[in-house]
Amino acid sequence: MKILVCIKQVPESNKVEVDPVTGVLKRDGAASKMNPYDLYALECAFRIREQVGGSVHVISMGPPQAKQVIREAFAMGADGGTLLSDRKFGGADVLATSYTIAQGIKACGTFDLIFCGRQTTDGDTAQVGPEISEWLDIPSVADVVKINKVEEDGITVSMDLPGEVEVAKVQFPCLLAVNKDIFQPRLPSYVKKMETKDREIRVVSLADMKDQDEMHYGLNGSPTQVQKIFPPAVNDKKEVWEETGDVLAEKLFDKIVEMKFA
Amino acid sequence: EYVDDTVKPSVNKEEWKGIVVYVDHVDGKIHPVTFELLGKAKELAAITGHPVYALFMGNHITEQSRELLHYGADKVFVYEEEELARFKIEPYTAVFEDFIGKIKPSSILVGATTVGRQLAPRVAARMKTGLTADCTILEMNEDTDLSQIRPAFGGNIMAHIKTPNHRPQMATVRYKIMNAPKRQEEAEGEIVSCAIAKEKLGSHVEVLDIVQKEKEQFIENADVLVVAGRGVKKPEDLANLQKLADLLGGQLACTRPVAEAGWLPAKCQIGLSGRTVRPKLIITCGVSGAVQFTAGMNHAENIFAINSDPKAPIFKTAHYCLVGDLYEILPQLIQKIEAKKGA
Ligand SMILES: Cc1cc2nc3c(=O)[nH]c(=O)nc-3n(C[C@H](O)[C@H](O)[C@H](O)COP(=O)(O)OP(=O)(O)OC[C@H]3O[C@@H](n4cnc5c(N)ncnc54)[C@H](O)[C@@H]3O)c2cc1C
Ligand SMILES: Cc1cc2nc3c(=O)[nH]c(=O)nc-3n(C[C@H](O)[C@H](O)[C@H](O)COP(=O)(O)OP(=O)(O)OC[C@H]3O[C@@H](n4cnc5c(N)ncnc54)[C@H](O)[C@@H]3O)c2cc1C
């Protein structure tokens, strides 16, 4: 079984601030980590490899320093890794990101099973996985809460719906976006880290892609445009209501209805 | 190599008309986010004079599709096929593509449910267009561009996003973000039956089983919490708080003394030595507001505190400070909510 896991490097903390003058995100660069949701995707891949054999490859799109998360995946047990990195990939929205990753996947070979995390802690859209599956023309299931069974021709998983869980069998090749807590992710091992410290990470740029049309990548290939970024309105409201019980009940009721809780 | 930045794919926006809402459902049971989005679509459409459409795909949904005519849709497009009975990514995307090809809607709104969050991106990629996730504010511009405002970085920042050179422009919106419109007595608009070639409805996904979820409740996951403090005199009195929590679709939680007295299990305790919660709404009843308690809940979005002592420290943390007796307020509040639900 050839398994691929998509991992992203994200800022250490999502408590970012917006520069009030320039309106630009203040990212104090250095501190970054693997998107925590992707640890669950990796864990699923390792468990399936342990069960049926095969290999786990990881892929990440980002600047050169994103090699760090690929090294971390090696220390957890990944067999190989590819970084998609090119200045021309910069400024990508979900469409361009998923297209780049799909092209990058094709440049790496073919896979039976692709895992994504549910979402990231920065862009936070949870859209990249399903869009990759469209570009690759393979079925996908998101909100996977359980891997029920792995067979020769496909995988049976449980998908979380509001009041129920749907059990479905998906044929290979396919893409799964898994939820947090599906398994407890393993910690990176020092021994593995040492063993893999010289392992090559292949860097794929636009020149290595089958489609080399710049207009399909980065800012050029992004239909959405961020017009402005601003801090959210904080709830610094403070109202003191000193009234009789009847009036308080009435006011509380009106407020709860206004806020759509009742 | 010279690249001309000014060459952007341009689209004739005149050709794209209408705002369509995807009808989110499981087994024909329409998710209420659909009605909220129809209400929003109606508001947005008023700016540009565009029609409002609903797109409904499923099986045995004729009856339910009529219901949508009570919420302001000008046309409800219905695809009724056996293969569409349950959500499957490939046939649902194929239907969406068929619909977009025929109708050419300018904007598409999809509820950010389990289904919507996988279907919308798949459709966006197929149409090679933009999709803005989890919008909290939507505004229509006269040139038919949709201004989409959404939180990112776990809600720590907001982004204002547009899709100026592509159509359709797509957005997802979570449940309970937009206002639910009132159901109109009269049905308006029309139902349009649509057909799609069978061979487009194939899938590599087979639904094997549907399991009802057992409700294991954790206060950490609740959107609404009603909290009992020592101002609640007897364990029997918790029944009223529980009732309020049920009516609001929430859960009952407590302070340490209440848990220590054994009135509620330890897993219901909020605070430093209990659980940390961040619900959308929290109503504390007879809680003094010691720091060990507030440390576990001060990031809640909307904090209401009921306490008879105007000097209670909980009022430093609360957004709405109700100085009064919980025994007077709660029964009347419960009555009002029940009356509204009954109506
Ligand atoms: C404030 C803000 C708001 C934004 N809003 C939107 C928007 O509404 N629509 C839009 O199209 N773009 C938006 N973007 C851009 C978007 O965040 C980036 O395009 C990003 O690359 C896409 O994904 P995400 O972080 O949301 O990933 P998600 O879709 O949340 O990630 C899901 C999974 O996909 C995989 N994955 C995602 N990115 C990578 C990667 N680079 N390498 C490897 N695997 C990856 C991982 O497995 C991850 O767990 C926004 C950006 C910002 C800063
Ligand atoms: C190390 C440590 C850890 C702790 N951890 C926690 C923790 O995790 N969680 C926790 O909750 N506590 C914790 N505590 C205890 C904490 O300090 C407080 O003692 C506790 O939170 C008080 O609980 P209470 O508000 O229910 O009771 P009280 O402090 O007795 O307050 C009762 C309130 O009810 C009001 N009241 C009375 N009658 C009515 C009425 N009819 N209508 C309206 N209001 C009324 C009163 O004015 C009063 O303000 C901890 C303490 C320590 C030292």
Side-chain angles (χ1 to χ4, degrees):
Chain A
M1 172 95 52
K2 286 185 72 184
I3 309 173
L4 179 77
V5 186
C6 301
I7 59 175
K8 184 183 183 185
Q9 189 176 43
V10 297
E12 182 71 51
S13 159
N14 63 9
K15 302 228 170 7
V16 286
E17 278 178 58
V18 180
D19 187 315
V21 182
T22 59
V24 180
L25 271 188
K26 283 200 236 169
R27 304 200 200 207
D28 32 25
S32 55
K33 61 175 180 186
M34 188 176 329
N35 174 34
Y37 292 90
D38 297 343
L39 297 171
Y40 302 97
L42 274 170
E43 185 62 32
C44 287
F46 296 143
R47 294 204 180 205
I48 291 175
R49 182 185 58 189
E50 279 153 20
Q51 198 187 324
V52 301
S55 64
V56 174
H57 196 92
V58 296
I59 195 166
S60 187
M61 168 180 144
Q65 59 267 30
K67 278 188 178 170
Q68 230 176 305
V69 295
I70 296 178
R71 293 252 163 251
E72 189 181 334
F74 288 167
M76 290 171 72
D79 302 294
T82 303
L83 176 68
L84 310 174
S85 196
D86 195 313
R87 277 182 180 279
K88 303 213 169 79
F89 298 162
D93 71 355
V94 169
L95 191 79
T97 300
S98 61
Y99 186 70
T100 309
I101 295 174
Q103 281 287 317
I105 292 173
K106 285 181 183 167
C108 291
T110 55
F111 295 91
D112 304 298
L113 184 53
I114 300 173
F115 279 107
C116 281
R118 177 190 154 83
Q119 64 185 75
T120 63
T121 50
D122 55 354
D124 202 349
T125 64
Q127 293 175 172
V128 169
E131 295 213 9
I132 293 173
S133 72
E134 168 64 18
W135 295 120
L136 297 176
D137 195 20
I138 58 175
S140 65
V141 180
D143 274 318
V144 171
V145 287
K146 192 174 165 199
I147 309 279
N148 302 53
K149 195 171 171 191
V150 185
E151 289 166 283
E152 194 66 28
D153 58 336
I155 184 164
T156 302
V157 298
S158 297
M159 173 171 81
D160 190 44
L161 282 165
E164 59 196 40
V165 171
E166 183 181 287
V167 182
K169 179 170 173 179
V170 199
Q171 284 167 31
F172 295 133
C174 64
L175 183 145
L176 304 174
V178 301
N179 277 10
K180 189 169 162 288
D181 297 334
I182 181 164
F183 292 117
Q184 179 65 35
R186 66 197 58 192
L187 294 169
S189 119
Y190 181 75
V191 175
K192 283 206 178 74
K193 184 178 164 181
M194 284 301 131
E195 274 171 13
T196 59
K197 73 179 177 5
D198 298 321
R199 184 185 287 162
E200 197 203 327
I201 295 172
R202 184 175 164 215
V203 180
V204 167
S205 68
L206 184 60
D208 305 304
M209 301 291 203
K210 185 148 175 275
D211 175 9
Q212 296 183 11
D213 184 344
E214 292 186 8
M215 297 310 283
H216 295 157
Y217 297 88
L219 205 53
N220 283 328
S222 297
T224 65
Q225 293 181 4
V226 177
Q227 312 276 306
K228 198 172 79 176
I229 281 178
F230 55 98
V234 285
N235 191 354
D236 51 5
K237 203 174 280 154
K238 169 127 276 168
E239 289 184 22
V240 179
W241 301 345
E242 283 201 70
E243 324 258 6
T244 61
D246 306 6
V247 179
L248 287 175
E250 180 83 48
K251 286 179 90 162
L252 181 51
F253 172 72
D254 290 344
K255 203 75 202 172
I256 288 175
V257 171
E258 186 193 313
M259 292 176 165
K260 305 187 206 89
F261 291 108
Chain B
E1 188 189 6
Y2 177 72
V3 186
D4 188 354
D5 283 336
T6 58
V7 181
K8 273 273 166 196
S10 69
V11 60
N12 181 0
K13 294 177 189 173
E14 293 286 300
E15 284 176 14
W16 297 81
K17 277 214 167 65
I19 303 176
V20 58
V21 173
Y22 169 73
V23 180
D24 192 275
H25 73 98
V26 174
D27 293 332
K29 195 166 175 289
I30 297 174
H31 192 290
V33 70
T34 309
F35 303 121
E36 297 173 356
L37 292 183
L38 279 171
K40 190 59 184 183
K42 195 103 180 131
E43 266 175 59
L44 297 172
I47 310 282
T48 49
H50 278 199
V52 172
Y53 302 137
L55 169 61
F56 199 0
M57 53 188 94
N59 198 22
H60 305 302
I61 51 173
T62 318
E63 185 105 346
Q64 295 91 317
S65 57
R66 277 198 285 272
E67 180 62 17
L68 294 161
L69 298 175
H70 293 273
Y71 291 89
D74 295 302
K75 283 185 183 172
V76 179
F77 294 88
V78 180
Y79 288 78
E80 211 167 2
E81 305 283 350
E82 225 179 297
E83 292 87 343
L84 301 173
R86 298 281 299 188
F87 166 70
K88 288 180 188 173
I89 193 80
E90 306 110 308
Y92 270 54
T93 307
V95 168
F96 227 126
E97 180 187 19
D98 183 79
F99 169 79
I100 294 170
K102 284 180 182 146
I103 304 303
K104 295 196 141 195
S106 178
S107 302
I108 299 177
L109 308 182
V110 179
T113 59
T114 300
V115 169
R117 297 177 75 97
Q118 348 191 12
L119 180 57
R122 186 96 188 198
V123 172
R126 186 159 302 181
M127 306 317 297
K128 300 190 172 53
T129 193
L131 171 63
T132 307
D134 295 327
C135 299
T136 52
I137 300 174
L138 291 173
E139 280 161 8
M140 186 57 78
N141 298 286
E142 274 165 23
D143 64 359
T144 75
D145 280 1
L146 190 59
S147 289
Q148 306 158 109
I149 295 174
R150 68 169 297 243
F153 289 84
N156 286 309
I157 61 161
M158 305 294 290
H160 179 166
I161 294 174
K162 272 191 175 183
T163 310
N165 302 310
H166 293 72
R167 289 292 182 271
Q169 45 196 341
M170 300 181 63
T172 66
V173 181
R174 289 192 191 183
Y175 179 38
K176 286 195 176 173
I177 295 293
M178 303 302 172
N179 293 317
K182 273 218 152 54
R183 185 183 190 277
Q184 300 154 15
E185 264 324 299
E186 295 291 306
E188 280 171 54
E190 58 173 310
I191 292 178
V192 183
S193 287
C194 304
I196 182 167
K198 280 274 176 199
E199 62 266 22
K200 292 199 175 165
L201 300 178
S203 175
H204 294 85
V205 181
E206 186 192 352
V207 178
L208 301 178
D209 198 7
I210 294 148
V211 188
Q212 294 306 311
K213 256 191 252 179
E214 39 188 304
K215 285 247 188 306
E216 238 259 86
Q217 309 266 31
F218 297 103
I219 59 171
E220 289 94 326
N221 300 338
D223 282 342
V224 177
L225 288 174
V226 176
V227 188
R230 210 150 44 173
V232 176
K233 307 277 183 297
K234 315 187 284 300
E236 302 85 80
D237 301 344
L238 288 174
N240 250 351
L241 280 78
Q242 179 70 58
K243 196 168 197 179
L244 176 60
D246 291 344
L247 283 169
L248 300 177
Q251 291 180 45
L252 183 58
C254 65
T255 59
R256 189 163 85 170
V258 174
E260 278 179 345
W263 294 6
L264 282 172
K267 63 171 189 181
C268 295
Q269 182 190 320
I270 293 172
L272 216 53
S273 51
R275 312 285 175 111
T276 301
V277 296
R278 197 174 184 164
K280 296 203 173 81
L281 170 68
I282 188 165
I283 305 176
T284 69
C285 307
V287 174
S288 61
V291 288
Q292 295 90 351
F293 171 77
T294 56
M297 50 67 79
N298 55 14
H299 289 296
E301 261 172 58
N302 295 290
I303 304 172
F304 288 75
I306 303 176
N307 196 308
S308 47
D309 174 8
K311 292 203 187 63
I314 189 71
F315 290 146
K316 290 203 194 90
T317 305
H319 304 122
Y320 296 91
C321 311
L322 284 74
V323 184
D325 186 339
L326 71 96
Y327 286 89
E328 285 175 26
I329 298 168
L330 292 187
Q332 297 190 55
L333 176 63
I334 288 167
Q335 231 173 40
K336 284 177 202 293
I337 299 173
E338 280 178 334
K340 177 167 188 281
K341 295 229 156 156

